[in-house]
Amino acid sequence: MSGFIPYGRQAISDADIAAVEAVLRSDYLTQGPAVPRFEGAVAALTGAAHGVAVNSATSALHVACMALDLGPGDVLWTVPTTFVASANCGLYCGATVDFVDIDPVTWLMCPRALAEKLAAAKEEGRLPKVLVPVHLQGEPCDMAAIGALAREYGVRVIEDASHAIGAVQAGQKVGACTHSDICVFSFHPVKIVTTAEGGLATTNDPVLARRMELARSHGITREPAEMTQAPDGAWYYEQIALGYNYRMTEMQAALGLSQLDRLEAFVERRQALAARYDRLLKGLPVTLPRRAADNRSALHLYVVRVPADRHRGTFDAMRAAGIGVNLHYIPVHLQPFYRAMGFAPGDFPQSETYYREAISLPLYPGLSEADQDRVVATLKAALAA
């Protein structure tokens, strides 16, 4: 058997290493100039007015919820087919969490299901305060439809774009917040670009941006205009809100800035590999991912769906052959922690059907065509067994 092929991995260049080394030789390892530069670069890239960098996308989701005043008595909705952080961020704020099922074709938050659930929730007096649509695989949700429904019902929107930096919808970059209040990105090593660990929230609202800045750094300000009294001296600061230590380091920001220079190349390579998968897998008994004509997916993942009765066998056979397939994601409502809240199998059937069929194939810029051929050949053999 040849070497192990992971489902995703970082692409680190000499320029990335030099950028991090330069910070290590500088005066600032944290709270220096690299983080604001990175924030400005991502904001400019997406077309948003503000960027707020933090130490993970989970932290970004949390401070986004805090900025929108989510709290006890409020409700947050997201999809079951996501990483647990998309839901947990609501619990961090003391809110209740519920879910909207996915569309059987796009595998993203279903606007029809959302419309029906919002109408019922309005009648019951249980409208959510915050909605978190998730751009699974890097494919943008139908944000025009979701945004219109959110405006109709007075719901705030946080886009979970952890998979989707570099994605485009209807000519606009994901992160521009055209149909949302805040958009969150992840820079984990297997994502499109990496800061090792890290996240960032974009917004067009200066008040929300400032609230997130305070929340990421203990709720502390050194701005006299925000203080309750005149400063006692140059050392003076005030805690004016409850916050956390969610700061991004200078090394992480420098790595992110260097990686952003290759974002387009990364996405183009993923597009080419995905198109090649599309061709090589045609005719197999699998459902290929759908990419909308007016979207450019960032293609963090390439997910296929296989018949449920062949799912476990196919997955295990590929792992045994050194192909690091994965599954994104176990429906959040089926996790023991959420089942203890009252969620149960059958609550969100489309997400549960997806879980019984989905397999994430290897996809990353450094994946060679020879390795991709091996992935496809192994999948074919596993399905035929």
Side-chain angles (χ1 to χ4, degrees), residues 77 100-120 142 145-146 149 153 290 350:
W77 289 358
V100 179
D101 212 350
I102 61 172
D103 182 276
V105 175
T106 68
W107 313 342
L108 306 171
M109 181 177 282
C110 178
R112 294 185 306 278
L114 175 61
E116 292 170 4
K117 194 173 180 99
L118 284 168
D142 186 347
I146 291 169
L149 286 165
Y153 287 93
R290 172 189 174 276
Q350 294 298 338

Coordinates of all heavy atoms in Angstrom, one line a residue, residues 77 100-120 142 145-146 149 153 290 350:
W77 N -31.0 29.3 15.9 CA -31.3 28.1 15.0 C -30.1 28.0 14.1 O -29.5 29.0 13.6 CB -32.5 28.4 14.1 CG -33.8 28.3 14.8 CD1 -34.1 28.0 16.1 CD2 -35.1 28.5 14.1 NE1 -35.4 28.1 16.3 CE2 -36.1 28.4 15.1 CE3 -35.5 28.9 12.9 CZ2 -37.4 28.6 14.9 CZ3 -36.8 29.0 12.6 CH2 -37.8 28.9 13.6
V100 N -32.8 23.7 11.8 CA -33.6 23.7 10.5 C -33.0 22.7 9.6 O -31.7 22.6 9.4 CB -33.5 25.1 9.8 CG1 -34.3 25.1 8.5 CG2 -34.0 26.2 10.8
D101 N -33.8 21.8 9.1 CA -33.2 20.7 8.3 C -32.6 21.2 7.0 O -32.9 22.3 6.5 CB -34.3 19.7 8.0 CG -33.8 18.2 7.9 OD1 -32.5 18.0 7.9 OD2 -34.6 17.3 7.9
I102 N -31.8 20.3 6.4 CA -31.1 20.7 5.1 C -31.9 20.3 3.9 O -32.9 19.5 4.0 CB -29.7 20.0 5.0 CG1 -29.9 18.5 5.1 CG2 -28.8 20.5 6.2 CD1 -28.6 17.7 4.8
D103 N -31.6 20.9 2.8 CA -32.2 20.6 1.5 C -31.7 19.3 1.0 O -30.4 19.1 1.1 CB -32.0 21.8 0.5 CG -32.6 21.5 -0.8 OD1 -32.0 20.8 -1.6 OD2 -33.7 22.1 -1.0
P104 N -32.5 18.4 0.5 CA -31.9 17.1 0.0 C -31.0 17.2 -1.2 O -30.3 16.3 -1.5 CB -33.2 16.3 -0.3 CG -34.3 17.3 -0.6 CD -33.9 18.5 0.3
V105 N -31.1 18.3 -1.9 CA -30.3 18.5 -3.1 C -29.0 19.3 -2.8 O -27.9 18.9 -3.2 CB -31.1 19.2 -4.3 CG1 -30.2 19.4 -5.5 CG2 -32.3 18.3 -4.6
T106 N -29.1 20.4 -2.2 CA -28.0 21.3 -1.9 C -27.2 20.8 -0.7 O -26.0 21.2 -0.5 CB -28.4 22.7 -1.7 OG1 -29.1 22.8 -0.5 CG2 -29.2 23.2 -2.9
W107 N -27.8 20.1 0.3 CA -27.3 19.7 1.5 C -27.0 20.9 2.5 O -26.3 20.8 3.5 CB -26.0 18.9 1.4 CG -26.1 17.8 0.3 CD1 -27.3 17.3 -0.2 CD2 -25.1 17.1 -0.3 NE1 -27.0 16.3 -1.1 CE2 -25.6 16.2 -1.3 CE3 -23.7 17.2 -0.3 CZ2 -24.9 15.4 -2.1 CZ3 -22.9 16.4 -1.1 CH2 -23.5 15.5 -2.0
L108 N -27.6 22.0 2.2 CA -27.5 23.3 2.9 C -28.8 23.6 3.6 O -29.8 23.0 3.3 CB -27.0 24.4 2.0 CG -25.7 24.1 1.2 CD1 -25.5 25.3 0.2 CD2 -24.5 24.0 2.1
M109 N -28.8 24.6 4.5 CA -30.1 25.0 5.1 C -31.1 25.2 4.0 O -30.9 25.9 3.1 CB -29.9 26.3 5.9 CG -31.1 26.8 6.6 SD -30.9 28.3 7.6 CE -30.1 27.6 9.1
C110 N -32.3 24.6 4.3 CA -33.4 24.6 3.3 C -34.2 25.8 3.5 O -34.9 26.0 4.5 CB -34.2 23.3 3.4 SG -35.6 23.3 2.3
P111 N -34.3 26.7 2.5 CA -35.1 27.9 2.7 C -36.6 27.6 2.9 O -37.3 28.3 3.6 CB -34.9 28.7 1.4 CG -33.6 28.3 0.9 CD -33.5 26.8 1.3
R112 N -37.1 26.5 2.2 CA -38.5 26.1 2.4 C -38.8 25.7 3.9 O -39.7 26.1 4.5 CB -38.9 25.0 1.4 CG -38.9 25.5 0.0 CD -39.4 24.4 -0.9 NE -38.7 23.1 -0.7 CZ -37.5 22.8 -1.3 NH1 -36.9 23.7 -2.0 NH2 -37.0 21.6 -1.0
A113 N -37.9 24.8 4.4 CA -38.0 24.4 5.7 C -37.9 25.5 6.7 O -38.6 25.6 7.7 CB -36.9 23.3 6.1
L114 N -37.0 26.5 6.4 CA -36.8 27.7 7.2 C -38.1 28.5 7.3 O -38.6 28.9 8.3 CB -35.7 28.5 6.8 CG -35.4 29.8 7.5 CD1 -35.1 29.6 9.0 CD2 -34.3 30.6 6.8
A115 N -38.7 28.7 6.1 CA -39.9 29.5 6.0 C -41.1 28.9 6.8 O -41.8 29.6 7.5 CB -40.3 29.7 4.5
E116 N -41.2 27.6 6.7 CA -42.3 26.9 7.4 C -42.0 26.9 8.9 O -43.0 27.2 9.7 CB -42.3 25.4 7.0 CG -42.8 25.2 5.5 CD -42.6 23.8 5.0 OE1 -42.2 22.9 5.8 OE2 -42.9 23.6 3.9
K117 N -40.8 26.8 9.3 CA -40.5 26.8 10.8 C -40.6 28.2 11.3 O -41.1 28.3 12.5 CB -39.1 26.3 11.0 CG -38.7 25.9 12.4 CD -37.4 25.2 12.5 CE -37.0 24.9 14.0 NZ -37.3 23.5 14.3
L118 N -40.3 29.2 10.6 CA -40.4 30.6 11.1 C -41.9 30.9 11.2 O -42.3 31.6 12.2 CB -39.8 31.6 10.1 CG -38.2 31.7 10.2 CD1 -37.7 32.4 9.0 CD2 -37.8 32.3 11.5
A119 N -42.7 30.5 10.2 CA -44.2 30.8 10.3 C -44.8 30.2 11.6 O -45.6 30.8 12.3 CB -44.9 30.3 9.1
A120 N -44.4 28.9 11.8 CA -44.9 28.2 13.0 C -44.4 28.8 14.3 O -45.1 29.0 15.3 CB -44.5 26.7 12.9
D142 N -28.2 29.7 0.1 CA -29.1 30.6 -0.7 C -29.3 31.8 0.3 O -30.4 32.0 0.9 CB -30.4 30.0 -1.1 CG -31.2 30.9 -2.0 OD1 -30.9 32.1 -2.1 OD2 -32.2 30.4 -2.6
A145 N -32.4 34.3 -0.2 CA -33.7 33.8 0.3 C -33.7 33.8 1.9 O -34.6 34.2 2.5 CB -34.0 32.4 -0.2
I146 N -32.6 33.3 2.4 CA -32.5 33.2 3.9 C -32.5 34.6 4.5 O -33.2 34.9 5.5 CB -31.2 32.5 4.3 CG1 -31.3 31.0 3.9 CG2 -30.9 32.6 5.8 CD1 -30.1 30.2 4.0
L149 N -36.0 36.1 4.4 CA -36.9 35.6 5.5 C -36.5 36.2 6.9 O -37.3 36.5 7.7 CB -36.7 34.1 5.5 CG -37.5 33.3 4.4 CD1 -37.0 31.9 4.3 CD2 -39.0 33.3 4.7
Y153 N -38.9 38.4 9.5 CA -39.3 37.9 10.8 C -38.5 38.6 11.9 O -38.6 38.3 13.1 CB -39.2 36.4 10.9 CG -40.3 35.7 10.2 CD1 -40.1 35.2 8.9 CD2 -41.5 35.4 10.8 CE1 -41.1 34.5 8.2 CE2 -42.5 34.7 10.2 CZ -42.3 34.3 8.9 OH -43.3 33.6 8.2
R290 N -23.5 19.1 -5.5 CA -24.1 20.1 -6.4 C -23.5 21.4 -6.1 O -23.4 21.8 -5.0 CB -25.6 20.2 -6.2 CG -26.3 21.3 -7.0 CD -27.7 21.4 -6.5 NE -28.4 22.6 -7.1 CZ -28.4 23.8 -6.6 NH1 -27.7 24.1 -5.6 NH2 -29.1 24.8 -7.2
Q350 N -33.7 14.8 6.7 CA -32.8 15.0 5.6 C -31.3 15.0 6.1 O -30.4 14.4 5.5 CB -33.1 16.3 4.9 CG -34.4 16.3 4.2 CD -34.5 15.3 3.1 OE1 -33.5 14.8 2.6 NE2 -35.7 14.9 2.7

